[in-house]
Each structure stands twice: as structure tokens, then as C-alpha cells.
Amino acid sequence: MKVNLIAKHEKDSRACRDGMALTVKALMAEDPSVCYVDCDLMGCVNTKQLMELYPDRAFEAGIAEGNAAGVAAGLAATGKKVFFHSFGTFSSRRCYDQIYMSAAYADLPVHVLGSDAGVSAAFNGGTHMPLEDAAMYMSIPQAVVFDVCDYDQLAYVTRAQASIPAVTYTRFVRKNFKTIYGKGTKFRWGKGIVLHESDNDQATIITSGIMVDEALLAYEKLKKRGINVRVVDMFTWKPLDEKLVIKCAEETGAIVTAENHNVTCGLGSAVANCLAKSRPTVQEFVGVQDRFGQVGPQDFLMDEYGLRAANIVAAVKKAIRRK
Amino acid sequence: MDAKKIELLAAQIRLETLRVIHSLGFGHVGGSMDLADLMAVLYGEEMRYDPKNPHWADRDWLVMSKGHAGPVVYATFGLMGFYPMEEAYTLNKPHTRFPSHTDRKLTPGVDLTTGSLGQGVSTAVGAAIGNKIDGRDNRVFCIVGDGEADEGQVWEAFHLAYAKKLDNIIFFIDKNGYQLDGSTEKILDHGDLAAKVSGFGLYTQEIDGHDVRAIYQAIENAKAKKGVPSCIVLDTIKAKGATFAEPKHEHSSQPSEEKWQEALAASEKALAALQNA
């Protein structure tokens, strides 16, 4: 895995969603079996172009997510590689049984895209704020779950999804994200990415998605105070890179997980499960603390739910104290 | 169509459906038995399939959306040579290939997994779209229960089938008038079910679901309709031909062995009468 870390904490001028939309477009051009089903939200993720280019294979199922998920499974039964998109709230909660039974249980891979991950649903508010979507998908046997942080990573993951013979779920933000990775970065799904490490790391921050930038900020703040920490971008939540988690626990002795998701049954829980089985380790959980979402600007919401670098710094200090 | 031959097949399907469920002693007799005539027309006359090559790309598809009617599917497929009939007498036993609800991973000939009601209607629509994309001229046949039609997903799928002008799919609604807790009228009254389906834009016919000639003709009518999906509402008698279940319209049954033997004997007698006719 080759990593070209940018981490200047600057907003990317591109729309993150295009990392997905343009990748699906390329896949549809390369492979006539690739299909795309949406629920009246193509306009939000720039995929109307797919319907214009490939009207047979890219289509609207209307505002009917349960049906759309079932249709995607039926298409998969005819040998199609199917992407299915809606906002993360709707591509999880509104079609969970359909994804579970018609797709996963029936061994029909459907590749689900959940946009507006966590607090990035911002102005659509609590009704549209997926803070449990990944938890739902992680509880489906063999499902693969991603939480991505930037344009290039989303492009990689979208392409990877099409080749995975299982139900996959990717949560991503549409826009207003920070560039984390530069050109030449090679990703491998199922493998965490070590962004910073040293010989005297006192803790490891395991994170993903929009929290990666906050974790990198936390790293810089802690370093100024003489505290070295390891930072891992765990963009694949399931299957978890358990080998890396255990290595980090052994070498640094304390873990802080940071997620744009409810701390119940998300990344933090997955890491805790792994450590409880293999190497019980002090852990602090940064994330939404079992609360519902609410409306407001993303910056406000990140403050409100404690998803900031300052929260990660405090969690690291606490974890180190608890060692 | 040779109606006598199909009626004979329907009687065989009824007997084998009883035998499949009797192997366990209990199960979804009602919603299985009432579909024997339709299954006989489909697999004895209408459908294109190869029992030795169940995944043949140009086959017609069957989606038993009312997945609990698995036994009538297993009986039909066994009679058609997808597997030795006796193998289906392992219904619901550990590691069986014949679970209560139809499962594409387990049973040769089962095209899509069903069980959570309403979902097979959507997956059938997806399969019909997939076959159209590939330019195949095959068809998808999807069987829906009238109780199942309580599920909103059924109507979402009809809506999409209409909007996409899917003329390669034929839905059947098994209107036996009963669901688990009682009559459909009492549980959640549909009103005029056929009119509702018709209102969704589907070419809809309502027929006697036990008249093989009427079933055949309705399917032929549906096949002739271009640019529109079809639905055939079958007026049926729940548990038809199962002596212990038919009078009570039972959803699931667990009769005594004596009652089972009565039912099996009556079914064998009905079959023999047709064979000797």
C-alpha cells in the first residue's frame, strides 16, 4: 500500500460524490453488466448522466427504496453488477429487510451507496442523518462496509465494490470534504492505512470518513505537546483489519476510535469486539453518543456531537491516563 | 393444450404436495394446494425450462413470492425431473435442500429466494428488467398471495413494472380469500383486488384459478399484450384437495396421522379417477 498523504486540512474543490459518479460511469463503459438504480436522488450525486448514457442500465425506481433494493437483487440474479443509491438513511433503514433477504441471504451481491454520511446530512436534519446505517449493514453476514474520507478513496472503493461477491455498503459525503490523499495512493480494501506512526506512540487513533481530517489535526496538536500517537484510516469497517488493530494495541497500549456514526455498533464497537477477543486494551470512543441527529450546519453538528480534533485529543489523553 | 393431461398433472402435483408436507407432518398446506392447477399449466404447458440445466439463461423464471408455498414448487419440480421426487420428502429437515420457503441457493429450479412477503414481486421485476437488458425473449412468472398484497412493496413493484412497460412479466394473484388470521375481508379488506391492479395499469384478468383451460387462455392473452405487464387474478379455494384443511381454509396445518392418511387416500383416489377417465 502506497500512501501520498496531503492532509493540509483544505477543502477539495471537487465534489466528493463525483469520485463515485464518474467511477460508476467508467465501470458502465467498461462492463455491460454494470447497472445503476436510484430512488429519485440522482440529482444529488450527479448520476443523471448515467441514465442519459445508459438508459437501459441506469434508471430510476422512484421514491420506493424497498422495491428498488429488491429490483437491484433481481437484476443481480440475471448476472448484473448493480449499484443502488439513496441517502444513507434511506438506503439502510428503508430497505433493510429487502437488502437482507432479497440480496444478502439470497447470495445476490448488491452494491449500496449511502450518501450524506452522518452529520454531513446537515441541513436535511435529523430525519435524514444516518448515524446507524453502517451498524445495520455490519450486522448482515458477509456484508462489506466502507466509510470513506475523500474523492480518490471513494473512487477506489466504488470500483472495488463492483468486484466484491457480496452485499457492499459505502457511506460517503457529497461535498465539503478535506483532501486527505494525493495522487499515487494505492488503497486495499480490508486493510487499514497507517497515516502516522513512530517508535514511541502512546496511543492509536482508529478512524475513517470525515473524522480522518480531525484525527490528523489531533495528531498535530498532541505532537506539539510531546505526545506521539499513531493514526489509522480504517475505511473498511467490515471485514475489520483485525491484524492491524491488534498490532496497534500491542505497540501503543491505548486505542481511541473516532467515527461520524453512533458509537453503538459502529467502528468503535467493531474495534472493541476485536480487542476483547484478542488483546483487551484501554479504549475511548469518539462519535455520536447514542443520540439522534438534528438540523444545522455541519460545523455546528461536529461541535455539538463532539466530533472535533479537541474531542479526540481529550480522548487520547484519557486513554493514556487509563493505561 | 391437452387439458386432460394438465388436469392429471395438477392431481399429481396435489398428491406430491401432500406427500412433501406429510414427510414432516405439518406445514403450509392451504396456500400450496390451491396453486396446483396453475403450476400444472405453467410447467406442463407454458414455461420454457430444462430440468437438467436449471440456470439455462433463456429459461422462463418462476418467482414464488408467497414463499411459504414452497411444497407445491418442490412437488412440481420433482415431477418435472429437477431432482428425484423422494428427495423433497426431507422438507425442513436439517440440511435439507427443501426449506419451508423457496431458496435459490438450495433448490434446483428456484430462481429467487422468497419468504419475507412482497419481496419476490420486486426481485421478479428486477429479473424481468435484467432479461430485457440482455435482449432475451423469456418471461418471468411471479405468484403473489392475496394476503401478501397487504404489503405496500407489492404495489411499488407493480408501479415500476408498469412504468417500465415490462411485457415479459406475468403476475398471478392467488385470491383464495384467506390469510393466517382469517379472511382477507376481515383482516384488511382489499375491496376489488383486480380493479386495484388494473388501476395500476397492468393488463388484468380474473379467472377461476382451478380451471386449467381458463388459466391457459389467460396466459395466452397476457402474452399477446405488448408494452404492458400482466396480472391474472386467480379465484381459488384455499387448501383445495386437502381434506383436513379445505373446509377450514387453513394457512398451516398439523393434522393427526389418521387425517393425513384420509387426505392422501382422497388425493390418490382423485388422481386415479383422472387416470382411468
Side-chain angles (χ1 to χ4, degrees):
Chain A
M1 199 159 359
K2 190 184 154 199
V3 180
N4 176 11
L5 186 61
I6 300 270
K8 287 182 183 159
H9 315 298
E10 286 170 358
K11 274 190 182 166
D12 199 308
S13 59
R14 299 168 295 179
C16 193
R17 63 192 182 191
D18 282 346
M20 179 278 288
L22 299 180
T23 302
V24 176
K25 184 178 169 184
L27 285 166
M28 292 186 85
E30 292 162 24
D31 182 350
S33 76
V34 175
C35 295
Y36 176 88
V37 182
D38 205 308
C39 302
D40 196 33
L41 290 173
M42 286 189 186
C44 299
V45 287
N46 197 20
T47 49
K48 274 190 184 172
Q49 53 183 322
L50 306 180
M51 191 162 58
E52 282 152 20
L53 284 166
Y54 307 104
D56 290 343
R57 292 189 281 141
F59 60 89
E60 291 276 11
I63 308 166
E65 295 79 9
N67 180 50
V71 166
L75 278 166
T78 65
K80 304 288 178 284
K81 293 171 186 161
V82 193
F83 287 94
F84 160 56
H85 168 255
S86 185
F87 286 157
T89 35
F90 309 138
S91 62
S92 57
R93 301 201 304 251
R94 286 206 73 115
C95 55
Y96 191 59
D97 190 34
Q98 288 80 4
I99 290 291
Y100 187 98
M101 195 209 78
S102 291
Y105 181 82
D107 197 18
L108 293 170
V110 169
H111 305 301
V112 186
L113 304 162
S115 52
D116 283 7
V119 295
S120 80
F123 296 115
N124 273 329
T127 56
H128 286 54
M129 200 160 286
L131 296 169
E132 63 299 298
D133 53 328
M136 296 175 74
Y137 275 94
M138 284 162 81
S139 64
I140 298 175
Q142 281 104 48
V144 176
V145 179
F146 299 106
D147 180 47
V148 301
C149 67
D150 80 354
Y151 188 103
D152 287 345
Q153 194 176 58
L154 179 56
Y156 164 78
V157 164
T158 306
R159 184 168 280 274
Q161 279 184 281
S163 67
I164 297 173
V167 163
T168 62
Y169 178 70
T170 299
R171 63 199 308 265
F172 62 98
V173 300
R174 282 191 273 162
K175 47 196 174 185
N176 295 330
F177 65 101
K178 310 283 171 53
T179 311
I180 305 295
Y181 298 104
K183 278 202 186 323
T185 301
K186 300 276 182 222
F187 302 100
R188 267 179 74 195
W189 69 270
K191 296 288 172 198
I193 305 167
V194 179
L195 300 178
H196 287 296
E197 65 180 330
S198 75
D199 292 337
N200 59 347
D201 291 334
Q202 298 181 51
T204 303
I205 304 166
I206 299 178
T207 188
S208 65
I210 60 169
M211 297 305 289
V212 171
D213 189 61
E214 297 295 326
L216 292 169
L217 284 167
Y219 162 85
E220 289 160 19
K221 287 182 182 179
L222 287 161
K223 194 167 186 179
K224 276 184 195 156
R225 294 174 208 172
I227 302 170
N228 277 354
V229 291
R230 191 166 297 181
V231 180
V232 173
D233 174 4
M234 194 63 82
F235 69 100
T236 312
W237 284 18
K238 189 186 172 193
L240 185 69
D241 186 350
E242 296 200 344
K243 213 171 140 186
L244 180 60
V245 170
I246 294 163
K247 183 172 182 277
C248 292
E250 283 172 352
E251 292 178 2
T252 71
I255 300 287
V256 171
T257 48
E259 59 195 304
N260 170 28
H261 186 273
N262 194 340
V263 290
T264 305
C265 305
L267 177 63
S269 295
V271 168
N273 270 351
C274 163
L275 293 175
K277 277 187 300 183
S278 305
R279 197 191 190 286
T281 303
V282 167
Q283 182 179 345
E284 290 294 325
F285 299 76
V286 174
V288 176
Q289 303 295 321
D290 211 25
R291 292 172 64 190
F292 292 108
Q294 62 184 300
V295 78
Q298 186 171 318
D299 281 343
F300 157 75
L301 294 166
M302 291 186 75
D303 291 340
E304 173 70 19
Y305 292 103
L307 305 180
R308 288 300 195 190
N311 305 103
I312 299 174
V313 166
V316 166
K317 288 182 175 171
K318 191 172 174 194
I320 293 170
R321 279 202 304 276
R322 286 178 57 208
K323 275 210 243 185
Chain B
M1 185 189 72
D2 180 347
K4 286 210 160 35
K5 188 189 90 177
I6 299 302
E7 282 165 353
L8 189 67
L9 177 58
Q12 287 174 313
I13 292 172
R14 283 208 163 81
L15 176 58
E16 286 302 339
T17 301
L18 286 175
R19 284 177 176 162
V20 166
I21 303 173
H22 177 244
S23 70
L24 185 69
F26 58 91
H28 297 113
V29 174
S32 294
M33 292 296 278
D34 57 18
L35 288 171
D37 305 291
L38 172 64
M39 291 299 280
V41 175
L42 288 176
Y43 281 85
E45 185 70 26
E46 285 286 356
M47 283 177 65
R48 193 162 73 188
Y49 60 93
D50 177 0
K52 300 297 164 215
N53 183 16
H55 295 294
W56 175 36
D58 288 324
R59 72 187 182 282
D60 289 330
W61 290 51
L62 179 83
V63 184
M64 183 61 80
S65 191
K66 43 172 288 190
H68 53 282
V72 75
V73 175
Y74 308 147
T76 307
F77 291 1
L79 289 165
M80 295 297 128
F82 283 82
Y83 38 77
M85 190 67 248
E86 295 72 26
E87 208 195 316
Y89 304 159
T90 59
L91 184 75
N92 289 356
K93 302 238 165 71
H95 308 298
T96 183
R97 293 205 289 171
F98 303 89
S100 55
H101 298 76
T102 54
D103 189 324
R104 68 182 290 274
K105 288 183 298 189
L106 295 178
T107 317
V110 170
D111 288 312
L112 282 159
T113 297
T114 56
S116 187
L117 292 173
Q119 294 196 26
V121 190
S122 300
T123 51
V125 167
I129 295 170
N131 284 322
K132 275 223 171 198
I133 290 171
D134 290 339
R136 296 194 192 97
D137 66 349
N138 56 354
R139 283 191 168 75
V140 177
F141 297 91
C142 175
I143 304 172
V144 188
D146 54 354
E148 181 179 12
D150 292 353
E151 290 280 2
Q153 185 175 355
V154 169
W155 303 91
E156 291 182 2
F158 285 170
H159 189 167
L160 185 66
Y162 164 77
K164 291 199 77 73
K165 302 180 169 42
L166 295 181
D167 51 13
N168 60 341
I169 189 162
I170 300 176
F171 299 103
F172 299 92
I173 298 182
D174 178 15
K175 202 180 101 179
N176 58 35
Y178 288 87
Q179 53 200 105
L180 194 147
D181 273 343
S183 75
T184 52
E185 207 175 356
K186 280 191 183 151
I187 304 302
L188 187 63
D189 192 4
H190 285 294
D192 188 339
L193 192 51
K196 274 187 173 172
V197 180
S198 182
F200 270 68
L202 278 64
Y203 168 59
T204 308
Q205 304 167 79
E206 183 159 7
I207 58 165
D208 176 351
H210 299 305
D211 178 343
V212 296
R213 288 180 189 80
I215 296 169
Y216 172 78
Q217 190 54 52
I219 294 172
E220 289 301 306
N221 295 344
K223 281 179 167 178
K225 281 277 174 191
K226 299 298 171 205
V228 64
S230 285
C231 180
I232 300 169
V233 178
L234 305 165
D235 292 318
T236 57
I237 295 163
K238 192 154 188 165
K240 188 171 173 61
T243 49
F244 53 79
E246 190 177 325
K248 294 182 284 182
H249 321 285
E250 279 178 355
H251 175 74
S252 54
S253 310
Q254 189 166 12
S256 64
E257 184 57 25
E258 190 189 341
K259 296 279 183 197
W260 265 118
Q261 291 307 327
E262 259 178 48
L264 287 163
S267 189
E268 280 164 8
K269 200 174 155 192
L271 175 60
L274 286 167
Q275 280 167 334
N276 299 329

